Every structure is written in structure tokens, then in C-alpha cells.
Amino acid sequence: MAQLLILRALSNDFIDILGIHVPDSSLNSTVMQLSLLQQISNTVDAFIFSKDLQGNYTFVNESGLQLFQCPLNEIIGFNASHFYDEDSCININKTDQEVLRKAQKTTYEHTNCIKDTDKKRIYQTIKKPIFDDQGNVIGLCGVSTDITKEKHLQVILDEQKQLLHTVLDNVEAHVYMKNEDRRFLYVNSKVADSIGLPASEIVGQLETDLLAEKEAQEFHQNDREVFQKNKILRTKETVITTNGDELHYLTVKVPISINNERAIIGFSSDVTEIYRMKEQFKLLANTDYLTNLYNRRFFMEQGEREFSRAKRHQTPFAIISVDIDYFKKINDDFGHPAGDHVLKIVSQLLLKSIRKEDILARIGGEEFTIILPETTLENANTLAERTRECIQNEIIIYPKEIKLNVTVSMGVTLLKPEDKSFDDVLIRVDEALYEAKENGRNKVYYL
């Protein structure tokens, strides 16, 4: 009779535990209840059981028979100690007593080991007390779901996630994910360091709340292009820090989808040092090593450009050629270091005399040339005379109290309608310089 009461209560409890809705009319008889219990328990991929107050099994389903590898008559009436190792039994009995004592359901995760197999399995178990018609606890029922595979997969997933975080936090790139609302979904440690907050405080925040307005707008412009075209974007990005430093990045932005939400993942590599080296190489390639003025190569490139622009827009365009008088005598009398010193001083004086838009170059030896865009003949001659007088009046002090006074000869020319190329202008300004030297030096001559 007690077993019948347990089984009748058991069917209702299992239906409740498993979340199955069964009309009341289906439970009108004990036979129907037991039949329903048997059908449910054998179709569920979980170990379903019930126990009396002494912890002996009063019911197990087909999964229980497979778990214990025993026929039903060798399970019913026996407790957990017949099937599990000692540590498993201690845990099972402890939770059984808790359910019976408190008369309430409990859910927990545990590891069990069947005797003689040493095979440990991980279960998610729900245990619930069974009551008779008077409300007395007469046993318990439970459902144990084997989650061993899921736990192992979770461990693997956690390890891979940790590995991924380790890799992304140590790559030489800023890695981040953002959605269409400009909200960060992920940042690696480099992004967190650059923003100055822990990654956990960045994720979920809008970039507009974390970055300077100009910086955020530039990033968003590139992000918007990725979303609109749904294509990978490779671009350069520049950031000005609060200290005024200019940082340069090579960025790849990839469109992705997460939970049906459009997003991008970005990889930004800091190439500031490479950029600075490139600029330095460019400067070296365009600069005279001694005077730090532009060299002949850069002068010719700019000259061709200014010549074309002046011809196209029909604007004035002047050139001044400058040559230090008797420079060879300075080298012969005082040595080449003295000559180098003179070249540097003259370079500085020439730089002070020109405008920002003018181009001054040392094109060889003691010869300099100045490109004067949009400059009339009158203004070019005025500049040349003023500069010649400035250099003539300069006393150049060289080590050991040597005082040098130098002069320069200057040729001036203006772009003419008949000029076909920049070389035509150069030939004419060289002829003007030659005339200045032939006519006594320390002069300005125009052709």
C-alpha cells in the first residue's frame, strides 16, 4: 500500500519536475498514473528515480537500469551504497536528508562514480519530496541529467576563450568590436590602456562617451562605410593625444553579425614609429645634410610643379640664384670647416629673408636657389637686394676669433610666355647669375 501511495504521488511529482502539462482527466485512475509515469520516464534521456524514507530505491526508469547495469529487482529496495563509491554516497545521502528534512525541492550539480568502473560522471539533479494524502513526507523523487559532455565542452570553451583573450591581449594591435549604435562589445588590453579604463568598464559604453569628439567622429566615419558597403575596409587612422602627440594606425575593419545584430571587429596596428621613420627618410631624401635646406632633387620637383601651376593660372613666378663670392678662397685660407660654417650662416640668413611659401634649396657647392611663387619682378628684385645687403653686413665669427665677411652674387628672372619648360627658366637665371659675377660680384642682375 505504501509503495502504491509513493507511485501515485510520484507520477504527479515527475510531471511537475519535468514541466509536462497533463489534463486532470488523464489522472483519474492509479493505473493511468502508473502507465503515464512509465511512458514518461522511459522516453526522457535522464535518470529518474524515487526513494523511501530509508533511502532505498522504489522506482528507477530505463536510464537507471543502464546506469547501474542491473535488472530492476536488483535495484528496488537497495540504497545508493550498493551502486556508488563512498564519496558519491556521502554527497547523495546528504542531499536526500536535506530534501526530506526541509520538505522542499533542491537543485544541485555533483559528480558521481559507479562502483567497479571508476568512471566519474557529472550530473545536474533535481530532488523533490513526495507527500501522502495527509501531507506527510513519505519519500523523494528525482531527475538526474548527465551533463558530463557539456561540462567538458564548457571547460574546452573556457580554455579556448582564455587562450583567445591571452592572444588578443598580447598582439601588437588594438582589437575591438562595436555595434551599429557605436557601443563597444569587446576591447583587448591595448584598447583599454589607451582609453585608460578596465575593459570591463568599456564594454557596453558608447565610443562618444569614452573618446574625444573629433577622434570618435573620425572612427565612426570609417565604421559607417563598413556598415553601408558590408565590406572589409583597410584604412589609415590618425589620433591626436591630449599631449598633442600624433599617433598613426593601419586599421582593418571587418563586418560581422552577432545574434542577428550587425557589428564590426577592428584591428588597428600602431605604425607611429614607422610613419616617423618614413617622414625622417623623406626629409633626409629631400634635405641637404649640411645646411638642412632642401636639396637639388626636391628643388627640381617643386620647381616643375610651380612652373606648371604658374603657366596654367597665368600667375607670376620668379627665381633667384645665389652664389657666395670667392668661396674657394675661404676654404683655401681657413680650411673646409670654415667654409662649412659660412654655408650654414648664409643659409640661415637666406631663410630669414624669404616667405613661408617660398622654397630655398642648396643645389650644389656654394650655390643656392629660391623659388618665389606668385611674385612680380619688382618684388623679387627688392627681396634679392635686401638679402644681398643683409649678407654683406653680417660679420661671421669662426672659432679662434676669425672674422669673415662674405658677399653674394644673385641672378633674378621671371617666368616668360615663351618659356616651354622649367629648364628654360633655370638656364636664364644661371645666365643672370653669371652676369652678376662678371660685372664685379656682390650684385643683383636680372634677365
Side-chain angles (χ1 to χ4, degrees):
M1 184 63 182
Q3 186 179 28
L4 182 59
L5 287 173
I6 290 174
L7 290 175
R8 289 177 61 188
L10 185 60
S11 62
N12 290 318
D13 286 323
F14 279 143
I15 290 171
D16 178 55
I17 290 175
L18 296 172
I20 299 173
H21 174 71
V22 180
D24 292 339
S25 59
S26 299
L27 302 177
N28 289 335
S29 69
T30 301
V31 174
M32 291 184 67
Q33 289 184 20
L34 296 179
S35 175
L36 179 61
L37 172 62
Q38 191 68 41
Q39 292 178 44
I40 293 173
S41 65
N42 287 333
T43 56
V44 173
D45 188 18
F47 171 33
I48 299 177
F49 60 89
S50 66
K51 297 181 182 179
D52 60 21
L53 295 175
Q54 289 71 45
N56 298 318
Y57 286 103
T58 56
F59 174 85
V60 295
N61 67 343
E62 185 66 30
S63 294
L65 301 181
Q66 295 175 8
L67 175 66
F68 296 145
Q69 294 294 299
C70 295
L72 185 62
N73 61 353
E74 293 182 12
I75 299 175
I76 301 302
F78 295 92
N79 61 34
S81 63
H82 286 78
F83 311 104
Y84 296 102
D85 67 2
E86 183 176 355
D87 289 339
S88 300
C89 285
I90 292 173
N91 186 45
I92 290 170
N93 291 333
K94 179 180 178 181
T95 55
D96 285 354
Q97 292 304 313
E98 183 179 349
V99 171
L100 295 173
R101 184 178 66 257
K102 295 181 178 180
Q104 63 184 26
K105 182 175 72 174
T106 185
T107 301
Y108 67 106
E109 188 178 296
H110 58 100
T111 301
N112 285 347
C113 181
I114 303 296
K115 280 184 177 181
D116 302 326
T117 66
D118 292 329
K119 188 175 183 179
K120 293 186 177 181
R121 309 295 295 178
I122 304 173
Y123 293 91
Q124 179 78 31
T125 295
I126 301 173
K127 291 182 179 179
K128 184 177 180 181
I130 300 174
F131 301 93
D132 62 15
D133 294 339
Q134 287 73 44
N136 300 312
V137 176
I138 57 175
L140 62 85
C141 61
V143 177
S144 291
T145 304
D146 190 337
I147 58 171
T148 306
K149 183 182 294 185
E150 288 80 356
K151 293 297 289 186
H152 287 169
L153 289 175
Q154 186 62 50
V155 170
I156 294 173
L157 182 62
D158 290 343
E159 290 176 349
Q160 290 178 340
K161 184 178 179 181
Q162 181 60 41
L163 177 61
L164 181 61
H165 275 294
T166 301
V167 171
L168 293 179
D169 283 339
N170 287 278
V171 296
E172 288 299 320
H174 293 67
V175 185
Y176 51 88
M177 291 172 58
K178 288 183 285 185
N179 63 14
E180 284 189 284
D181 296 329
R182 305 175 70 178
R183 198 175 297 279
F184 282 102
L185 305 178
Y186 168 82
V187 296
N188 72 345
S189 60
K190 283 196 174 296
V191 177
D193 291 342
S194 65
I195 293 178
L197 291 172
S200 59
E201 294 183 20
I202 297 174
V203 173
Q205 297 294 313
L206 295 170
E207 66 177 352
T208 50
D209 294 334
L210 299 170
L211 305 175
E213 181 179 354
K214 183 178 179 181
E215 182 181 348
Q217 188 58 34
E218 181 177 344
F219 290 159
H220 183 57
Q221 182 176 348
N222 292 329
D223 295 348
R224 188 165 52 233
E225 184 176 345
V226 176
F227 286 123
Q228 288 174 348
K229 296 182 178 180
N230 197 33
K231 291 182 179 180
I232 296 175
L233 174 68
R234 292 174 175 84
T235 186
K236 296 178 183 178
E237 293 178 322
T238 300
V239 175
I240 307 298
T241 67
T242 54
N243 298 327
D245 295 331
E246 197 173 80
L247 303 179
H248 302 272
Y249 297 91
L250 284 180
T251 297
V252 179
K253 298 189 176 185
V254 183
I256 59 174
S257 178
I258 301 177
N259 297 326
N260 295 322
E261 179 183 23
R262 295 211 305 168
I264 61 166
I265 180 168
F267 304 87
S268 297
S269 300
D270 189 339
V271 292
T272 303
E273 288 303 316
I274 297 175
Y275 180 88
R276 289 172 180 169
M277 289 175 63
K278 181 180 177 181
E279 290 298 305
Q280 185 65 28
F281 288 143
K282 183 178 178 181
L283 180 63
L284 291 173
N286 295 330
T287 305
D288 173 60
Y289 74 96
L290 179 64
T291 62
N292 287 326
L293 300 180
Y294 291 122
N295 59 19
R296 183 180 182 85
R297 186 183 72 84
F298 184 79
F299 166 79
M300 293 300 294
E301 289 178 356
Q302 296 302 308
E304 295 283 0
R305 184 178 291 109
E306 290 298 332
F307 175 84
S308 298
R309 189 167 71 90
K311 292 283 282 186
R312 183 170 58 253
H313 298 291
Q314 297 184 346
T315 55
F317 170 62
I319 288 185
I320 300 176
S321 186
V322 183
D323 189 270
I324 300 175
D325 296 329
Y326 304 110
F327 183 73
K328 183 177 183 300
K329 182 173 175 55
I330 296 174
N331 283 333
D332 292 343
D333 291 348
F334 303 103
H336 286 283
D340 289 347
H341 183 68
V342 169
L343 287 170
K344 291 177 182 177
I345 297 300
V346 170
S347 297
Q348 293 171 10
L349 294 173
L350 290 171
L351 273 175
K352 289 179 181 178
S353 69
I354 64 175
R355 304 166 301 180
K356 184 178 180 180
E357 60 268 28
D358 298 334
I359 300 169
L360 170 63
R362 181 190 175 199
I363 60 173
E366 67 274 23
E367 189 174 350
F368 306 84
T369 305
I370 306 171
I371 297 176
L372 304 168
E374 299 185 20
T375 302
T376 64
L377 175 60
E378 181 182 358
N379 289 337
N381 276 324
T382 300
L383 172 65
E385 284 290 353
R386 186 174 66 245
T387 304
R388 183 194 62 77
E389 291 178 5
C390 176
I391 295 173
Q392 175 185 282
N393 296 330
E394 181 76 14
I395 304 299
I396 300 175
I397 306 299
Y398 186 65
K400 298 182 181 179
E401 298 184 354
I402 297 174
K403 295 182 179 180
L404 301 173
N405 182 245
V406 299
T407 61
V408 295
S409 298
M410 308 178 81
V412 180
T413 194
L414 201 68
L415 174 66
K416 296 183 178 181
E418 62 266 25
D419 291 329
K420 302 299 182 182
S421 69
F422 182 53
D423 285 341
D424 293 339
V425 184
L426 289 180
I427 291 171
R428 191 166 54 253
V429 80
D430 281 343
E431 291 174 352
L433 177 62
Y434 177 80
E435 292 295 333
K437 296 175 79 69
E438 285 295 306
N439 285 277
R441 303 178 191 270
N442 192 24
K443 294 183 183 301
V444 176
Y445 198 88
Y446 163 74
L447 276 178

